[in-house]
Amino acid sequence: MIQYILECIAFQLLFLVIYDFFLKRETFFQWNRVYLLGTFLLSLILPWVKIEAFKQQVPQTFAGYPDFLWNLNAVQVVTIEDSLGWQLTWQEGIFYSGMFLALLFFVFKLRQVYLLKKHGEQVQFPNFTQVIITNSSIAFSFFKSIFIGDKVLKMKHDTIIEHELVHIRQGHTWDLLFFELMRIIGWFNPLVYVYQNRVSELHEFIADAHVAKEDKSEQYQQLLSQVFQTEHISFINQFFTKSLIKKRIVMLQKSKSKKVFQLKYLLLLPLVFGMLVYSSCKQEKESLEQRLESLNQEIEQKDSLTSEEMDKIAKMTQTMLGKVNESAPIVNGWKVSAGISENQNSPSVVIRYNQLVNERKRLLKSANENNPMIVNLDNELKKLKALVDYEDKKNATTVKSELKEYSDDTEVPFAVVDEAPIFPGCEDAADKLTCFNDKIQLHISKNFSYPKAAQDANIEGRVSTMFMITSEGVIDNIEMRGPDKLLEDEVERIIKKLPKMTPGKQRGENVNVPFSIPVNFKLQ
């Protein structure tokens, strides 16, 4: 949402720059009115527009450790889950408070208009209602009502009435009310106020241009030069606005713009095109869920899988390990759960396989094995089982050879090192590996904090982290794979807090030991 707001403001700024530098001084008032209203609406729509032809895929790259090392340890998968329910963040509190205050101010201004109409003398005319205000010099219109002071009636008020009728006929009040609504929703956006100011100016120029055609321009300019009382209400069309008097006189004296200058509006085309290209560009950060869905679709489309196809699918599942235990304690208001990876297969494949087995058992209670539904289930089970068996066999053979090639006397993977690093406090433990895993789990549960920005943006997913426990026992070379940098940064912060450990040993010598662990962030 924050990115959407920033893009809207950026687009509005560009549109206003084009208007102020190239269009504002031209006498194409109606065109300018359409431009301002149209570009504001475009700025709200364009960030949502994603055109396939303009999309640029920016692949996410991972460097450093070999792929087969990621999640090789088959250790605990830590899940950090928001179990507090919906809460109002301080950013949301400020946003809604601002909206509430802006709404109150809008209601106050409406009340001002209501009181003026209530206490004024109303005179009905065919096309409008004239509201005469006692002892006042105001003159403005609001929808089909023209509010005019009794002092103005003593002047050349017919011209003023005609001016306000232009506002009524062209529905200028609707324009201003639209921006008033935008001021309530986007009270923090200064460009909404600029847009409303520009549109209000245009309304006066439009009405002046109509009246000047029928009345002598010199007399009209003289009338404008007088100073009158004004009402500071942003959504009414005032005749006497001190800040606009000079601009209106200058615009009345200005020669009509040549039609060729209308070509300036073509500047909008490359600008909008550039915005579409920008908003359509995306970074390819494929989530685990998307990759799992792609895997399932590929399996479903095949009657059988070749060895090459199994290789391809196996590569997709290398980093998607673990099965999370959903029943877990709540620590510091967050749910932390862990489980042991059952095998090297994608959780999606394992879960799908178990679902089909249970479905087959259920169907067998009311049908025999020749039932078409059971036959279809058996066919899919064969494909899934073939993939599971193939990956298990492949992992049993290739990973060992890869480990052998990767290992040397100074850097040995955790899974094969002679003596694994020892977490502080595990020196006297009977099972140092289990103690190591428990300590890692406890460390994460004590130090994590679900990033507020990630919560606000509804970002969740798995972050796989790999780091080096050096021959000195310190943590170094931390790398991340995750769905978003906010989550990656949080896991990195936690890993950096790990204490110094007793280093791992290979053939009696201290060595660097890479270690990986996945952390799941989940929002309810």
Side-chain angles (χ1 to χ4, degrees):
M1 181 55 71
I2 293 176
Q3 182 175 351
Y4 169 76
I5 291 172
L6 292 176
E7 288 181 2
C8 286
I9 294 175
F11 292 168
Q12 289 167 14
L13 180 61
L14 288 173
F15 286 135
L16 282 172
V17 167
I18 294 293
Y19 176 79
D20 283 351
F21 279 91
F22 298 101
L23 305 173
K24 185 178 178 180
R25 295 174 182 81
E26 303 299 338
T27 60
F28 308 123
F29 303 131
Q30 294 291 3
W31 281 72
N32 283 350
R33 180 189 177 192
V34 172
Y35 176 90
L36 288 174
L37 292 171
T39 54
F40 190 88
L41 289 172
L42 272 177
S43 71
L44 302 179
I45 297 171
L46 284 176
W48 297 107
V49 177
K50 309 294 181 185
I51 299 178
E52 289 293 331
F54 294 158
K55 284 188 177 180
Q56 296 180 8
Q57 300 288 335
V58 184
Q60 186 182 24
T61 58
F62 303 119
Y65 300 104
D67 277 345
F68 71 90
L69 284 180
W70 288 88
N71 294 311
L72 177 65
N73 306 314
V75 297
Q76 292 173 320
V77 181
V78 181
T79 296
I80 302 175
E81 182 174 353
D82 179 4
S83 59
L84 297 177
W86 183 83
Q87 284 189 334
L88 190 68
T89 64
W90 67 267
Q91 297 98 326
E92 292 172 335
I94 293 175
F95 174 73
Y96 291 122
S97 297
M99 282 184 61
F100 179 71
L101 292 175
L103 180 61
L104 283 182
F105 189 48
F106 175 65
V107 172
F108 172 74
K109 290 185 287 187
L110 280 178
R111 185 174 180 275
Q112 283 183 284
V113 176
Y114 169 76
L115 291 176
L116 284 174
K117 191 168 185 177
K118 180 181 179 181
H119 296 118
E121 178 187 346
Q122 298 186 29
V123 182
Q124 296 293 333
F125 289 90
N127 298 324
F128 67 97
T129 299
Q130 181 175 285
V131 182
I132 302 173
I133 310 300
T134 306
N135 194 29
S136 175
S137 299
I138 65 174
F140 68 87
S141 62
F142 183 68
F143 286 114
K144 291 191 175 183
S145 297
I146 296 178
F147 296 77
I148 191 164
D150 55 359
K151 295 179 181 180
V152 178
L153 293 175
K154 301 174 183 178
M155 307 175 192
K156 190 178 179 183
H157 67 278
D158 291 344
T159 304
I160 299 174
I161 295 295
E162 183 57 35
H163 176 100
E164 298 303 328
L165 282 174
V166 176
H167 292 313
I168 291 174
R169 286 193 294 266
Q170 297 199 10
H172 290 171
T173 302
W174 289 109
D175 296 358
L176 298 179
L177 281 178
F178 167 74
F179 284 107
E180 200 69 25
L181 176 62
M182 294 299 101
R183 282 174 58 168
I184 295 173
I185 298 173
W187 57 269
F188 52 86
N189 179 10
L191 298 185
V192 178
Y193 302 84
V194 177
Y195 259 96
Q196 189 180 45
N197 176 265
R198 298 291 188 272
V199 170
S200 182
E201 285 182 1
L202 271 178
H203 289 169
E204 300 309 315
F205 297 158
I206 291 170
D208 289 343
H210 278 76
V211 176
K213 290 179 182 178
E214 301 174 6
D215 198 0
K216 289 185 178 180
S217 180
E218 295 81 5
Q219 294 177 359
Y220 193 59
Q221 292 175 33
Q222 185 179 3
L223 180 63
L224 286 174
S225 299
Q226 302 178 53
V227 178
F228 295 89
Q229 174 187 346
T230 60
E231 287 290 326
H232 299 288
I233 302 175
S234 57
F235 56 80
I236 60 177
N237 296 113
Q238 306 174 66
F239 183 82
F240 303 119
T241 306
K242 295 177 183 178
S243 61
L244 269 178
I245 296 296
K246 182 178 178 180
K247 293 180 182 179
R248 289 167 65 181
I249 293 174
V250 170
M251 196 59 71
L252 279 169
Q253 294 173 341
K254 189 175 180 65
S255 300
K256 189 175 180 180
S257 299
K258 297 179 181 179
K259 287 189 175 183
V260 69
F261 291 150
Q262 289 181 350
L263 294 175
K264 291 181 178 181
Y265 293 100
L266 294 178
L267 291 170
L268 190 61
L269 296 179
L271 187 62
V272 171
F273 179 81
M275 292 175 179
L276 282 172
V277 172
Y278 173 80
S279 63
S280 294
C281 288
K282 68 174 184 178
Q283 184 179 22
E284 185 183 13
K285 299 182 75 174
E286 207 172 24
S287 67
L288 291 178
E289 290 79 7
Q290 290 172 319
R291 296 171 70 185
L292 293 172
E293 181 64 25
S294 175
L295 172 62
N296 279 335
Q297 288 177 358
E298 186 162 351
I299 292 173
E300 290 171 359
Q301 292 170 0
K302 295 288 184 178
D303 292 330
S304 61
L305 295 172
T306 65
S307 176
E308 291 76 12
E309 289 169 338
M310 286 183 176
D311 276 331
K312 180 181 177 182
I313 298 174
K315 289 178 182 178
M316 296 175 61
T317 65
Q318 275 186 331
T319 61
M320 296 182 281
L321 309 177
K323 186 177 180 182
V324 177
N325 178 14
E326 296 299 336
S327 58
I330 293 179
V331 181
N332 298 330
W334 301 90
K335 184 185 290 184
V336 180
S337 60
I340 304 298
S341 298
E342 294 185 349
N343 51 51
Q344 299 296 311
N345 294 290
S346 160
S348 176
V349 175
V350 176
I351 292 171
R352 178 63 173 161
Y353 184 87
N354 291 332
Q355 287 175 341
L356 293 181
V357 169
N358 292 332
E359 178 66 13
R360 188 179 189 279
K361 291 178 180 178
R362 187 186 66 81
L363 288 173
L364 280 174
K365 293 179 181 180
S366 58
N368 57 44
E369 293 189 355
N370 295 324
N371 184 285
M373 294 181 65
I374 295 180
V375 172
N376 289 335
L377 285 175
D378 288 340
N379 290 334
E380 187 167 358
L381 282 168
K382 287 178 182 178
K383 289 187 289 184
L384 292 176
K385 187 64 167 61
L387 178 59
V388 169
D389 292 343
Y390 179 81
E391 287 187 8
D392 287 341
K393 183 179 178 181
K394 183 176 184 295
N395 286 326
T397 55
T398 61
V399 171
K400 286 183 179 179
S401 61
E402 288 172 331
L403 282 173
K404 185 177 180 180
E405 293 176 4
Y406 179 80
S407 303
D408 55 34
D409 291 336
T410 60
E411 190 170 304
V412 185
F414 196 94
V416 296
V417 67
D418 291 345
E419 297 180 33
I422 301 173
F423 203 100
C426 295
E427 290 82 359
D428 298 327
D431 188 342
K432 293 183 174 57
L433 177 59
T434 300
C435 182
F436 184 96
N437 292 335
D438 291 342
K439 291 289 187 179
I440 288 282
Q441 167 84 16
L442 182 61
H443 172 82
I444 294 176
S445 68
K446 283 185 175 180
N447 290 280
F448 72 77
S449 175
Y450 210 124
K452 282 289 184 183
Q455 294 180 56
D456 296 341
N458 198 32
I459 297 172
E460 57 183 359
R462 174 178 293 186
V463 177
S464 293
T465 177
M466 180 168 283
F467 53 91
M468 189 73 70
I469 304 171
T470 69
S471 57
E472 288 77 31
V474 298
I475 305 303
D476 193 20
N477 196 20
I478 304 171
E479 293 190 12
M480 302 289 161
R481 290 182 176 183
D484 191 272
K485 194 174 186 303
L486 288 170
L487 303 185
E488 292 178 351
D489 289 345
E490 174 58 22
V491 174
E492 183 176 9
R493 183 189 67 82
I494 296 171
I495 298 303
K496 284 182 177 179
K497 286 179 172 287
L498 283 169
K500 186 176 182 179
M501 304 180 190
T502 302
K505 292 186 177 182
Q506 184 76 357
R507 302 185 185 92
E509 299 290 333
N510 290 353
V511 291
N512 299 326
V513 179
F515 182 85
S516 66
I517 185 170
V519 179
N520 286 335
F521 289 78
K522 186 173 179 58
L523 291 168
Q524 289 181 338

